[in-house]
């Protein structure tokens, strides 16, 4: 279509098209079920309609449009091709030629007659009545669910514009489905990870909706269902006679994504993805009822408070105080109920490791048995999820480095089956998770040699046994002679330690050569809020996690003087070491005449803390300490008190360890 | 600011028809004669939409679309191709090359403007 007269060019093109249509129709007369021929006729009619409109042959375009629409139903298999239909279309074709050659006047009657015959032929084919009733678009509107192919955005499709187009149809409710949005490291920014569900209200034709998606329809997930309760199957049929403008006709590609090999075949086209099992928490109904009760009470107290705020009440102060007490009680109960809701048994975590052990057993060629204990112990769901990765590392280490091969075990006089034992228990405000293997234990000499060769310690530097063992938590430390698939990449233990520390937990390792190693993780039950015992030492105030507090006793002046130098008290016939916080913190103040001992415990070990005054219990929101204070081990964090002052939170496990250390030293001294 | 559109077509009459239609609708139109020129123009300045023919001398539309999509600058730029017939294999190839949508020749100006509005959103 270059220099010459465009109308003349069209006439030549149209003549060719009509010849092609005729040929195809004649062949179709012999082979009525030949889909290719049906398609050829349809394509010819379609092109003719488009060109006709482009070059001003409006009568031709309109007439051809009707033929095309009718024939589209044949193409979609709604109406069978019949001899009668072929004959009508052939006569229609002749009429088109007349329209092209003539000026289009005085030919309407002939055209109408042909169209009526066409209608009759379609209906005679036996399928007309049914589509006509279902062809009505759903008056109430449509329910759409769609998801673009991954490359659509990079290729210039803007999903927001699609949504805007849909909104132009009328009232529209849009819900984004973000269930397939990956975590940040896996997120490809040029891909569209979001799917949409829409409810589109109004009398809209299905074709109009499909037209919005015309360019992406072949590859996307799209389901369009009427909002009414009508059978969804009927929806596929309804657009046959819709007034479809020419440019839209290429949208007739299958609307169901089932026909397209979806890049990720898992995705159901409509409906929401079932929630991942890890993302939901099973909650017993009575816990929810409890929560509901508390919320109800809170609402009542709140209305009391607003009443108070709006009018003056006699004895205001008393009322205010009682409301404040109510709120305090409710807040703490709510918090507790809420926390319990988030608790899940570690069984689900442990059961994940069965598969891991099985795989490790295969990869290493060692026979490994997994034993678990205390699976009913409950941990905060977030805590548990974050424990999974460190535990995988630890179990891999145990299987790869710790356990020996069957031959080595037999030679060492052990059962050929290696054992890994996971146990969980709750002690005070902490959950203790133990990973124990009965392998060869940690080779101190190798650890030492490795640490020296890595320059982590000086050759010949004097280190305690536990210091050597703790070298394995050093970043970049790995003793595996060869890097295996499982471990020994030099990442792992330091990452494990860091992860545990971000949970405000602690990790400890013990190992006996030839008998195996034990890693103990101690994780606080909760993440953010604890009940604390507020105490005063010198001029400073400190918080002791209440869950760890066993009892408070008075340290009389005489006892204090008598025990000096030994720092032990006898508590129900047991010696308990105590720490004088005043001395530890070097407050430089004189001791209160009525000092108290707060006995704290982790597991079976206990230690007393001598404080000047017990102020009372205090709900503590934990703020972690800055990086600058990471070396300070006696404190777990800080909190802000009601009066705006700051109190440090004592790290119970560290203090207990310190106390035990002191006990050992004294015992050693005799 | 009006959206800028690059049209790539070897037929001067079609380029003219496209320019008249689009500039009439308020778009700023730049023309290129083939894939090589189109690529050069798209590299030199940024366009909100590229409309290209597929069958062209020197460099065809498919190759140009592929080349354009290789550049991070052209990530997300809508590209509409013109196809003479409803040739499905050509359409699939162009889509695979990174085209946004298509327009079947012959077309009327309204269709061209409609498609442009659809992908540009304005």
């Amino acid at each position: 279509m270059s220099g010459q007269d465009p109308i003349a060019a069209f006439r030549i093109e149209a003549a060719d098209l009509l010849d092609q249509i005729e040929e195809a129709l004649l062949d179709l007369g012999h082979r009525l079920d030949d889909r290719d021929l049906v398609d050829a006729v349809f394509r010819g009619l379609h092109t003719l309609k488009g060109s006709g409109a482009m070059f001003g042959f409006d009568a031709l375009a309109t007439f051809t449009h009707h033929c095309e629409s009718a024939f589209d139903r044949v193409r979609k298999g709604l109406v069978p091709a019949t001899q009668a239909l072929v004959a009508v279309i052939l006569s229609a074709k002749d009429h088109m030629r007349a329209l092209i050659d003539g000026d289009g006047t005085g030919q309407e009657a002939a055209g109408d007659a042909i169209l009526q015959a066409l209608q009759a032929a379609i209906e005679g084919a036996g399928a007309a009545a049914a589509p006509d009733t279902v062809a009505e678009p759903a008056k109430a509107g449509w329910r759409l669910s769609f998801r673009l192919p991954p490359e659509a955005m990079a290729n210039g499709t803007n999903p927001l514009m699609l949504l805007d187009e849909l909104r132009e149809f009328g009232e529209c409710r849009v819900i984004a489905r973000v269930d397939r949005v990956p975590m940040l490291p896996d997120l490809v920014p040029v891909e569209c990870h979001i799917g949409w569900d829409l409810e589109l209200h109004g009398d809209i034709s299905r074709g109009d909706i499909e037209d919005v998606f015309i360019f992406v329809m072949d590859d996307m997930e799209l389901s369009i269902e009427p909002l009414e309760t009508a059978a969804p199957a009927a929806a596929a049929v309804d657009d046959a006679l819709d007034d479809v403008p020419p440019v839209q006709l290429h949208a007739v590609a299958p609307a169901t994504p089932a026909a397209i090999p979806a890049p990720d075949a898992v995705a159901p086209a409509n409906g929401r993805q079932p929630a991942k099992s890890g993302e939901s928490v099973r909650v017993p109904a009575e816990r929810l009822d409890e929560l509901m009760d508390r919320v109800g009470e809170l609402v009542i107290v709140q209305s009391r408070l607003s009443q108070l705020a709006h009018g003056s009440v006699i004895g205001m102060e008393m009322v205010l105080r009682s409301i404040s007490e109510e709120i305090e009680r409710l807040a703490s109960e709510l918090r507790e109920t809420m926390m319990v809701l988030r608790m899940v048994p570690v069984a689900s975590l442990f059961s994940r490791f069965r598969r891991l052990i099985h795989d490790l057993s295969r990869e290493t060629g060692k026979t490994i048995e997994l034993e678990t204990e205390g699976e009913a112990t409950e941990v905060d769901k977030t805590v548990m999820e974050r424990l999974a990765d460190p535990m995988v590392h630890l179990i891999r280490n145990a299987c790869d480095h710790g356990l020996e091969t069957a031959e080595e075990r037999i030679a060492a006089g052990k059962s050929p089956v290696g054992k890994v034992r996971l146990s969980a228990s709750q002690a005070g405000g902490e959950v203790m998770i133990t990973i124990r293997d009965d392998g060869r234990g940690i080779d101190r000499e190798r650890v030492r040699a490795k640490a020296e060769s890595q320059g982590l310690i000086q050759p010949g530097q004097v280190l305690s046994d536990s210091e050597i063992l703790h070298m394995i938590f050093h970043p970049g430390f790995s003793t595996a002679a060869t890097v295996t698939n499982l471990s020994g990449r030099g990442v792992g233990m330091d990452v494990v330690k860091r992860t545990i520390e971000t949970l405000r937990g602690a990790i400890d390792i013990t190992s006996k050569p030839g008998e195996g190693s034990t890693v103990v993780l101690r994780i606080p039950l909760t993440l953010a809020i604890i009940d604390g015992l507020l105490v005063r030492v010198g001029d400073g105030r400190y918080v002791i996690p209440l869950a760890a507090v066993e009892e408070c006793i008075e340290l009389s002046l005489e006892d204090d003087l008598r025990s000096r130098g030994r720092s032990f008290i006898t508590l129900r016939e047991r010696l308990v070491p105590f720490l004088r916080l005043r001395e530890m913190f070097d407050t430089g103040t004189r001791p209160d005449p009525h000092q108290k001992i707060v006995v704290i415990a982790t597991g079976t070990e206990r230690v007393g803390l001598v404080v000047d005054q017990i102020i009372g219990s205090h709900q503590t929101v934990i703020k972690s300490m800055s990086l600058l204070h990471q070396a300070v081990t006696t404190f777990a964090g800080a909190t802000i008190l009601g009066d705006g002052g700051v109190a440090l939170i004592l790290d119970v496990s560290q203090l207990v360890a310190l106390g035990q250390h002191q006990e050992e030293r004294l015992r050693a001294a005799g | 600011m009006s959206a800028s559109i690059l049209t790539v077509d070897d037929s001067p009459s079609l380029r003219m028809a496209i320019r008249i239609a689009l500039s009439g609708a308020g778009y700023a139109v730049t023309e290129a004669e083939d894939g090589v020129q189109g690529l050069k123009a798209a590299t030199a300045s940024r366009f909100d939409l590229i409309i290209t023919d597929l069958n062209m001398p020197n460099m065809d539309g498919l190759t140009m679309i592929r080349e354009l999509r290789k550049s991070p600058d052209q990530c997300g730029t809508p590209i509409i191709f013109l196809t003479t017939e409803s040739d499905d294999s050509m359409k699939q190839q162009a889509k695979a090359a990174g085209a946004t949508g298509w327009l079947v020749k012959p077309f009327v100006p309204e269709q061209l403007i409609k498609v442009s509005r659809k992908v540009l959103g304005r």
Side-chain angles (χ1 to χ4, degrees), chain A residues 277-283 340-344 381:
Chain A
S277 58
E279 283 171 2
S280 64
V281 184
R282 239 172 226 280
V283 177
V340 173
L341 284 186
R342 296 186 49 87
M343 301 292 256
V344 284
K381 187 174 155 288

Side-chain angles (χ1 to χ4, degrees), chain A residues 456-617:
Chain A
L456 304 177
I457 53 168
Q458 296 294 319
Q461 190 175 340
V462 180
L463 291 172
S464 71
D465 192 50
S466 100
E467 278 172 321
I468 292 180
L469 288 181
H470 278 86
M471 291 307 307
I472 64 168
F473 294 119
H474 205 284
F477 183 92
S478 175
T479 55
T482 54
V483 172
T484 70
N485 187 29
L486 302 180
S487 51
R489 287 176 205 281
V491 293
M493 287 307 258
D494 60 315
V495 178
V496 169
K497 187 166 188 245
R498 265 212 310 278
T499 313
I500 301 297
E501 279 170 354
T502 58
L503 292 170
R504 291 194 297 103
I507 185 166
D508 202 4
I509 185 161
T510 53
S511 176
K512 282 189 185 159
E515 287 178 33
S517 313
T518 306
V519 178
V520 179
L521 309 177
R522 285 204 312 270
I523 314 292
L525 275 178
T526 65
L527 282 180
I529 315 173
I530 57 164
D531 267 323
L533 187 70
L534 191 62
V535 300
R536 182 177 63 80
V537 180
D539 299 325
R541 285 174 294 180
Y542 302 88
V543 173
I544 304 169
L546 199 56
V549 174
E550 291 221 316
E551 61 188 298
C552 300
I553 49 176
E554 183 148 346
L555 177 67
S556 64
L557 215 51
E558 302 85 71
D559 282 349
D560 189 16
L561 290 172
R562 209 175 326 142
S563 65
R564 183 158 299 276
R566 286 199 46 89
S567 296
F568 276 93
I569 49 159
T570 315
L571 197 60
R572 286 185 284 280
E573 273 128 46
R574 276 191 59 188
L575 277 182
V576 175
F578 61 79
L579 301 166
R580 291 167 211 276
L581 294 185
R582 204 166 31 80
E583 288 170 14
M584 268 182 73
F585 300 156
D586 203 8
T587 56
T589 54
R590 296 184 57 78
D592 192 278
H594 304 285
Q595 291 187 94
K596 306 286 190 296
I597 299 181
V598 179
V599 180
I600 57 173
T602 58
T604 54
E605 298 171 348
R606 59 194 63 194
V607 68
L609 302 175
V610 180
V611 301
D612 285 327
Q613 189 194 349
I614 291 170
I615 299 171
S617 78

Side-chain angles (χ1 to χ4, degrees), chain B residues 5 14-27 29 107-113 116-117:
Chain B
I5 300 179
L14 200 69
R15 281 209 308 275
M16 184 189 287
I18 292 175
R19 193 187 64 220
I20 291 166
L22 289 180
S23 50
Y27 296 113
V29 183
F107 50 85
V108 293
E110 289 73 43
Q111 292 170 336
L112 177 65
I113 291 164
S116 305
R117 288 237 167 88

Side-chain angles (χ1 to χ4, degrees), chain A residues 1-3 13 43 46-47 50-55 151-158 161-162 165 190 211-219 245-248 250-251, chain B residues 11-14 69 74-80 84-86 88 91-92 95-108 111 114-115 117-121:
Chain A
M1 29 188 334
S2 41
E13 190 200 345
R43 257 202 321 271
H46 171 68
T47 311
S51 328
M54 193 168 178
F55 292 96
E151 72 285 352
M153 282 203 329
N155 284 352
T157 300
N158 186 339
M161 286 176 196
L162 298 179
E165 273 188 69
V190 295
D211 192 31
V212 171
F213 297 106
I214 174 170
F215 291 144
V216 277
M217 196 124 102
D218 290 356
D219 316 301
V247 71
Q248 296 170 358
H250 299 275
Chain B
S11 149
S13 64
L14 200 69
R69 285 289 184 233
Q74 303 296 343
C75 182
T77 306
I79 302 178
I80 297 289
T84 347
E85 63 283 90
S86 16
D88 222 44
K91 201 158 84 186
Q92 292 310 328
K95 276 178 74 177
T100 313
W102 58 88
L103 186 60
V104 175
K105 288 196 288 192
F107 50 85
V108 293
Q111 292 170 336
K114 194 180 160 203
V115 167
R117 288 237 167 88
K118 179 176 171 62
V119 294
L120 284 167

Side-chain angles (χ1 to χ4, degrees), chain A residues 15-80:
Chain A
D16 283 344
L17 276 171
L18 286 173
D19 285 347
Q20 286 167 21
I21 292 171
E22 185 171 77
E23 205 177 314
L25 277 171
L26 290 173
D27 286 348
L28 188 64
H30 296 292
R31 297 186 304 252
L32 282 173
D33 50 0
D34 191 328
R35 305 280 312 158
D36 291 345
L37 291 173
V38 172
D39 284 347
V41 173
F42 178 80
R43 257 202 321 271
L45 289 171
H46 171 68
T47 311
L48 190 62
K49 179 185 74 172
S51 328
M54 193 168 178
F55 292 96
F57 289 79
D58 291 340
L60 173 74
T62 314
F63 179 79
T64 313
H65 171 63
H66 289 297
C67 297
E68 186 204 330
S69 301
F71 210 76
D72 190 31
R73 297 174 66 182
V74 179
R75 199 176 73 110
K76 285 179 175 161
L78 302 173
V79 171

